[in-house]
Coordinates of all heavy atoms in Angstrom, one line a residue:
R105 N 8.0 -1.5 13.9 CA 6.7 -0.8 13.5 C 6.8 0.3 12.5 O 6.1 0.4 11.5 CB 5.9 -0.4 14.7 CG 5.5 -1.5 15.7 CD 4.4 -2.4 15.2 NE 3.3 -1.6 14.8 CZ 2.4 -1.1 15.7 NH1 2.6 -1.2 17.0 NH2 1.3 -0.4 15.3
L106 N 7.8 1.2 12.8 CA 8.0 2.5 12.1 C 9.4 2.6 11.7 O 10.3 2.7 12.6 CB 7.4 3.6 12.8 CG 7.5 5.0 12.2 CD1 6.8 5.1 10.8 CD2 7.0 6.2 13.1
Y107 N 9.7 2.7 10.4 CA 11.2 2.8 9.9 C 11.2 4.1 9.0 O 10.2 4.3 8.3 CB 11.5 1.6 9.2 CG 11.8 0.4 10.0 CD1 10.8 -0.4 10.4 CD2 13.2 -0.1 10.2 CE1 11.0 -1.6 11.1 CE2 13.4 -1.2 10.8 CZ 12.4 -2.0 11.4 OH 12.5 -3.1 12.1
C108 N 12.3 4.8 9.0 CA 12.5 5.9 8.2 C 13.8 5.6 7.3 O 14.8 5.2 7.8 CB 12.7 7.2 9.0 SG 13.1 8.7 8.0
L109 N 13.6 5.9 6.0 CA 14.8 5.7 5.1 C 15.5 7.0 5.0 O 14.9 8.0 4.4 CB 14.4 5.2 3.7 CG 15.4 5.0 2.7 CD1 16.5 4.0 3.2 CD2 14.9 4.6 1.3
P110 N 16.7 7.2 5.5 CA 17.5 8.4 5.3 C 17.7 8.8 3.9 O 17.9 7.9 3.1 CB 18.8 8.2 6.1 CG 18.5 7.0 6.9 CD 17.5 6.2 6.2
G111 N 17.7 10.1 3.6 CA 18.0 10.6 2.3 C 19.4 10.4 1.9 O 20.3 10.0 2.7
G112 N 19.7 10.7 0.6 CA 21.1 10.6 0.2 C 22.0 11.7 0.5 O 21.5 12.8 0.9
K113 N 23.3 11.6 0.4 CA 24.3 12.6 0.8 C 25.1 13.0 -0.4 O 25.7 14.1 -0.4 CB 25.2 12.1 1.8 CG 24.5 11.5 3.0 CD 23.6 12.4 3.7 CE 22.9 11.7 5.0 NZ 21.8 12.5 5.5
R114 N 25.1 12.3 -1.5 CA 26.0 12.5 -2.6 C 25.5 13.6 -3.5 O 24.2 13.7 -3.7 CB 26.2 11.3 -3.4 CG 27.1 11.4 -4.6 CD 27.1 10.2 -5.5 NE 28.1 10.3 -6.6 CZ 28.2 9.4 -7.6 NH1 27.6 8.2 -7.5 NH2 29.0 9.7 -8.5
Q115 N 26.3 14.5 -4.0 CA 25.9 15.5 -5.0 C 25.9 14.9 -6.4 O 26.8 14.3 -6.8 CB 26.8 16.7 -4.9 CG 26.8 17.4 -3.5 CD 25.6 18.1 -3.2 OE1 25.0 18.7 -4.1 NE2 25.2 18.1 -2.0
Y116 N 24.8 15.2 -7.2 CA 24.7 14.8 -8.5 C 24.8 16.1 -9.4 O 24.1 17.1 -9.2 CB 23.4 14.0 -8.8 CG 23.5 12.6 -8.3 CD1 23.2 12.3 -7.0 CD2 24.0 11.6 -9.1 CE1 23.3 11.0 -6.5 CE2 24.1 10.3 -8.7 CZ 23.8 10.0 -7.4 OH 23.9 8.7 -6.9
A117 N 25.6 16.0 -10.4 CA 25.8 17.2 -11.3 C 24.9 17.5 -12.3 O 24.6 18.6 -12.6 CB 27.2 17.0 -11.9
G118 N 24.3 16.4 -12.9 CA 23.4 16.7 -14.0 C 22.1 15.9 -14.0 O 22.0 15.0 -13.2
W119 N 21.1 16.3 -14.9 CA 19.8 15.6 -14.9 C 20.0 14.1 -15.3 O 19.1 13.3 -14.8 CB 18.9 16.4 -15.9 CG 19.4 16.4 -17.3 CD1 20.1 17.3 -17.9 CD2 19.1 15.3 -18.3 NE1 20.3 16.9 -19.2 CE2 19.7 15.8 -19.4 CE3 18.4 14.1 -18.2 CZ2 19.6 14.9 -20.6 CZ3 18.4 13.3 -19.4 CH2 18.9 13.8 -20.6
W120 N 21.0 13.8 -16.1 CA 21.1 12.4 -16.5 C 21.4 11.5 -15.4 O 21.0 10.4 -15.3 CB 22.2 12.3 -17.6 CG 23.4 12.9 -17.3 CD1 24.5 12.2 -16.6 CD2 23.9 14.2 -17.6 NE1 25.5 13.1 -16.5 CE2 25.2 14.3 -17.1 CE3 23.3 15.3 -18.2 CZ2 25.9 15.5 -17.2 CZ3 24.0 16.5 -18.3 CH2 25.3 16.6 -17.7
D121 N 22.2 12.0 -14.4 CA 22.5 11.2 -13.2 C 21.3 11.0 -12.4 O 21.0 10.0 -11.9 CB 23.6 12.0 -12.4 CG 24.9 12.0 -13.0 OD1 25.3 11.0 -13.6 OD2 25.6 13.0 -12.8
K122 N 20.4 12.1 -12.3 CA 19.3 12.0 -11.5 C 18.2 11.1 -12.1 O 17.5 10.5 -11.3 CB 18.7 13.4 -11.3 CG 19.6 14.3 -10.5 CD 19.0 15.7 -10.3 CE 20.0 16.6 -9.5 NZ 19.4 18.0 -9.3
E123 N 18.1 11.1 -13.4 CA 17.2 10.1 -14.0 C 17.5 8.6 -13.6 O 16.6 8.0 -13.2 CB 17.3 10.2 -15.5 CG 16.6 11.5 -16.1 CD 15.1 11.4 -15.8 OE1 14.5 10.4 -16.2 OE2 14.6 12.4 -15.3
E124 N 18.8 8.3 -13.6 CA 19.2 7.0 -13.1 C 18.8 6.8 -11.6 O 18.4 5.7 -11.2 CB 20.6 6.7 -13.4 CG 21.1 5.4 -12.9 CD 22.6 5.1 -13.2 OE1 23.3 6.0 -13.7 OE2 23.1 4.0 -12.9
V125 N 19.1 7.8 -10.8 CA 18.8 7.7 -9.4 C 17.3 7.6 -9.2 O 16.9 6.7 -8.3 CB 19.3 9.0 -8.7 CG1 18.8 9.1 -7.2 CG2 20.8 9.0 -8.6
F126 N 16.5 8.3 -9.9 CA 15.0 8.2 -9.7 C 14.5 6.8 -10.0 O 13.7 6.2 -9.4 CB 14.3 9.3 -10.6 CG 14.5 10.6 -10.1 CD1 14.3 11.7 -10.9 CD2 14.8 10.9 -8.8 CE1 14.5 13.0 -10.6 CE2 14.9 12.2 -8.4 CZ 14.9 13.3 -9.3
G127 N 15.1 6.2 -11.1 CA 14.7 4.8 -11.5 C 15.1 3.9 -10.4 O 14.3 3.0 -10.1
K128 N 16.3 4.0 -9.8 CA 16.6 3.1 -8.7 C 15.9 3.4 -7.4 O 15.5 2.5 -6.7 CB 18.1 3.2 -8.4 CG 19.0 2.7 -9.6 CD 20.5 2.6 -9.2 CE 21.2 1.9 -10.3 NZ 22.7 1.8 -9.9
M129 N 15.5 4.7 -7.2 CA 14.7 4.9 -6.0 C 13.3 4.3 -6.1 O 12.7 3.8 -5.1 CB 14.6 6.5 -5.9 CG 15.8 7.2 -5.3 SD 15.6 9.0 -5.2 CE 14.2 9.1 -4.0
E130 N 12.8 4.2 -7.3 CA 11.5 3.6 -7.6 C 11.6 2.1 -7.3 O 10.7 1.5 -6.7 CB 11.0 3.9 -9.0 CG 9.7 3.3 -9.3 CD 9.2 3.7 -10.7 OE1 9.9 4.3 -11.4 OE2 8.1 3.3 -11.0
R131 N 12.7 1.5 -7.7 CA 12.9 0.1 -7.4 C 13.0 -0.2 -5.9 O 12.4 -1.1 -5.4 CB 14.2 -0.3 -8.0 CG 14.7 -1.8 -7.7 CD 16.0 -2.1 -8.3 NE 16.5 -3.4 -7.9 CZ 17.7 -3.6 -7.3 NH1 18.6 -2.6 -7.3 NH2 18.1 -4.8 -7.0
I132 N 13.6 0.7 -5.1 CA 13.7 0.6 -3.7 C 12.4 0.7 -3.1 O 11.9 0.0 -2.2 CB 14.7 1.6 -3.1 CG1 16.2 1.3 -3.6 CG2 14.7 1.7 -1.6 CD1 17.1 2.4 -3.3
E133 N 11.6 1.7 -3.6 CA 10.2 1.9 -3.0 C 9.4 0.7 -3.3 O 8.6 0.3 -2.4 CB 9.7 3.2 -3.7 CG 8.4 3.7 -3.1 CD 7.1 2.8 -3.6 OE1 7.3 2.5 -4.8 OE2 6.2 2.5 -2.9
Q134 N 9.5 0.1 -4.4 CA 8.7 -1.1 -4.7 C 9.1 -2.2 -3.7 O 8.2 -3.0 -3.3 CB 8.9 -1.6 -6.1 CG 8.3 -0.6 -7.1 CD 8.7 -0.9 -8.6 OE1 9.6 -1.6 -8.8 NE2 8.0 -0.2 -9.5
K135 N 10.3 -2.4 -3.3 CA 10.7 -3.4 -2.4 C 10.1 -3.0 -1.0 O 9.7 -3.9 -0.2 CB 12.2 -3.4 -2.3 CG 12.9 -4.1 -3.5 CD 12.5 -5.5 -3.6 CE 13.2 -6.2 -4.7 NZ 12.8 -7.7 -4.7
L136 N 10.1 -1.8 -0.7 CA 9.5 -1.4 0.6 C 8.1 -1.8 0.7 O 7.6 -2.3 1.7 CB 9.6 0.1 0.8 CG 11.0 0.7 1.1 CD1 11.0 2.2 1.2 CD2 11.6 0.1 2.4
E137 N 7.3 -1.7 -0.3 CA 5.9 -2.2 -0.3 C 5.8 -3.6 0.0 O 4.8 -4.0 0.5 CB 5.3 -1.8 -1.7 CG 5.0 -0.3 -1.9 CD 4.1 -0.1 -3.1 OE1 2.9 -0.3 -2.9 OE2 4.7 0.2 -4.2
N138 N 6.8 -4.4 -0.5 CA 6.8 -5.9 -0.1 C 7.1 -6.1 1.3 O 6.6 -7.2 1.8 CB 7.8 -6.5 -1.0 CG 7.5 -6.5 -2.5 OD1 6.4 -6.3 -2.9 ND2 8.6 -6.6 -3.3
Y139 N 7.8 -5.3 2.0 CA 8.2 -5.6 3.3 C 7.5 -4.8 4.5 O 7.7 -5.1 5.6 CB 9.7 -5.3 3.4 CG 10.6 -6.0 2.5 CD1 11.7 -5.3 1.9 CD2 10.3 -7.3 2.1 CE1 12.5 -6.0 0.9 CE2 11.1 -7.9 1.1 CZ 12.2 -7.3 0.6 OH 13.0 -7.9 -0.4
F140 N 6.7 -3.8 4.1 CA 5.8 -3.1 5.0 C 4.4 -3.1 4.6 O 4.0 -3.2 3.4 CB 6.4 -1.7 5.1 CG 7.7 -1.5 5.7 CD1 8.9 -1.6 5.0 CD2 7.9 -1.3 7.1 CE1 10.2 -1.6 5.4 CE2 9.2 -1.2 7.6 CZ 10.3 -1.3 6.8
D141 N 3.5 -3.0 5.6 CA 2.1 -2.8 5.3 C 1.7 -1.6 4.6 O 0.9 -1.6 3.7 CB 1.3 -2.9 6.6 CG 1.5 -4.2 7.3 OD1 1.5 -5.3 6.7 OD2 1.6 -4.2 8.6
V142 N 2.4 -0.4 5.0 CA 2.1 0.9 4.4 C 3.4 1.6 4.2 O 4.2 1.6 5.0 CB 1.1 1.6 5.2 CG1 0.8 3.0 4.5 CG2 -0.1 0.9 5.5
V143 N 3.5 2.3 3.0 CA 4.6 3.1 2.7 C 4.2 4.5 2.5 O 3.3 4.8 1.6 CB 5.4 2.6 1.4 CG1 6.6 3.5 1.1 CG2 6.0 1.2 1.6
F144 N 4.7 5.4 3.2 CA 4.3 6.9 3.2 C 5.4 7.5 2.4 O 6.7 7.4 2.8 CB 4.2 7.5 4.6 CG 3.0 7.1 5.3 CD1 2.9 6.0 6.2 CD2 1.8 7.9 5.1 CE1 1.7 5.8 6.9 CE2 0.6 7.6 5.8 CZ 0.6 6.5 6.7
I145 N 5.1 8.3 1.4 CA 6.2 9.1 0.6 C 5.9 10.5 0.7 O 4.8 11.0 0.3 CB 6.2 8.6 -0.8 CG1 6.3 7.0 -0.9 CG2 7.3 9.3 -1.6 CD1 6.1 6.5 -2.3
D146 N 6.8 11.3 1.2 CA 6.8 12.7 1.3 C 7.2 13.3 0.0 O 8.4 13.5 -0.2 CB 7.6 13.2 2.5 CG 7.7 14.7 2.6 OD1 6.8 15.4 2.0 OD2 8.6 15.2 3.2
C147 N 6.3 13.7 -0.8 CA 6.7 14.3 -2.1 C 6.7 15.8 -2.1 O 7.1 16.5 -3.1 CB 5.7 13.9 -3.2 SG 5.7 12.1 -3.6
G148 N 6.5 16.4 -1.0 CA 6.6 17.9 -0.8 C 5.7 18.6 -1.9 O 4.6 18.2 -2.1
C149 N 6.4 19.6 -2.5 CA 5.7 20.2 -3.6 C 6.5 20.0 -4.9 O 6.5 20.9 -5.8 CB 5.4 21.7 -3.4 SG 6.9 22.7 -3.0
R150 N 7.3 18.9 -5.0 CA 8.2 18.7 -6.1 C 7.4 18.2 -7.3 O 6.3 17.7 -7.2 CB 9.2 17.6 -5.8 CG 10.3 18.1 -4.8 CD 11.3 17.0 -4.5 NE 10.7 16.0 -3.7 CZ 10.6 16.0 -2.3 NH1 11.1 17.1 -1.7 NH2 10.0 15.1 -1.7
R151 N 8.0 18.4 -8.5 CA 7.3 18.0 -9.8 C 8.3 17.3 -10.6 O 8.2 17.2 -11.9 CB 6.8 19.2 -10.5 CG 5.7 20.0 -9.7 CD 5.4 21.3 -10.4 NE 4.4 22.1 -9.6 CZ 3.1 22.0 -9.8 NH1 2.5 21.1 -10.7 NH2 2.3 22.7 -9.0
D152 N 9.3 16.6 -10.1 CA 10.3 15.9 -10.9 C 9.7 14.5 -11.2 O 8.6 14.2 -10.9 CB 11.6 15.7 -10.0 CG 11.3 15.1 -8.7 OD1 10.7 14.1 -8.6 OD2 11.9 15.6 -7.7
D153 N 10.5 13.8 -12.0 CA 10.0 12.5 -12.6 C 9.7 11.5 -11.5 O 8.7 10.8 -11.7 CB 11.1 11.9 -13.5 CG 11.2 12.6 -14.9 OD1 10.2 13.4 -15.1 OD2 12.1 12.4 -15.7
F154 N 10.5 11.5 -10.4 CA 10.1 10.5 -9.4 C 8.8 10.8 -8.7 O 8.0 9.9 -8.5 CB 11.3 10.5 -8.3 CG 11.1 9.5 -7.2 CD1 11.2 8.1 -7.4 CD2 10.7 9.9 -5.9 CE1 11.0 7.2 -6.4 CE2 10.4 9.0 -4.9 CZ 10.6 7.7 -5.1
T155 N 8.6 12.1 -8.4 CA 7.3 12.5 -7.8 C 6.2 12.2 -8.8 O 5.1 11.7 -8.3 CB 7.4 14.0 -7.5 OG1 8.4 14.3 -6.5 CG2 6.0 14.5 -7.0
R156 N 6.3 12.5 -10.1 CA 5.3 12.2 -11.0 C 4.9 10.7 -11.0 O 3.7 10.4 -11.0 CB 5.7 12.7 -12.4 CG 4.7 12.3 -13.5 CD 5.2 12.8 -14.8 NE 6.5 12.3 -15.2 CZ 6.7 11.1 -15.6 NH1 5.8 10.2 -15.7 NH2 7.9 10.7 -15.9

Side-chain angles (χ1 to χ4, degrees):
R105 301 287 304 285
L106 178 60
Y107 288 75
C108 176
L109 179 61
K113 312 300 179 187
R114 181 183 179 184
Q115 298 290 323
Y116 282 87
W119 62 266
W120 53 89
D121 292 322
K122 293 181 181 178
E123 284 295 307
E124 181 180 359
V125 168
F126 290 154
K128 290 189 173 182
M129 284 177 63
E130 186 174 2
R131 173 184 174 230
I132 292 168
E133 186 280 323
Q134 289 170 350
K135 287 294 183 179
L136 289 174
E137 286 192 78
N138 294 336
Y139 304 141
F140 292 88
D141 296 317
V142 182
V143 176
F144 286 92
I145 307 171
D146 173 21
C147 293
C149 58
R150 288 181 290 275
R151 298 174 183 269
D152 53 48
D153 285 348
F154 181 75
T155 295
R156 176 180 54 79

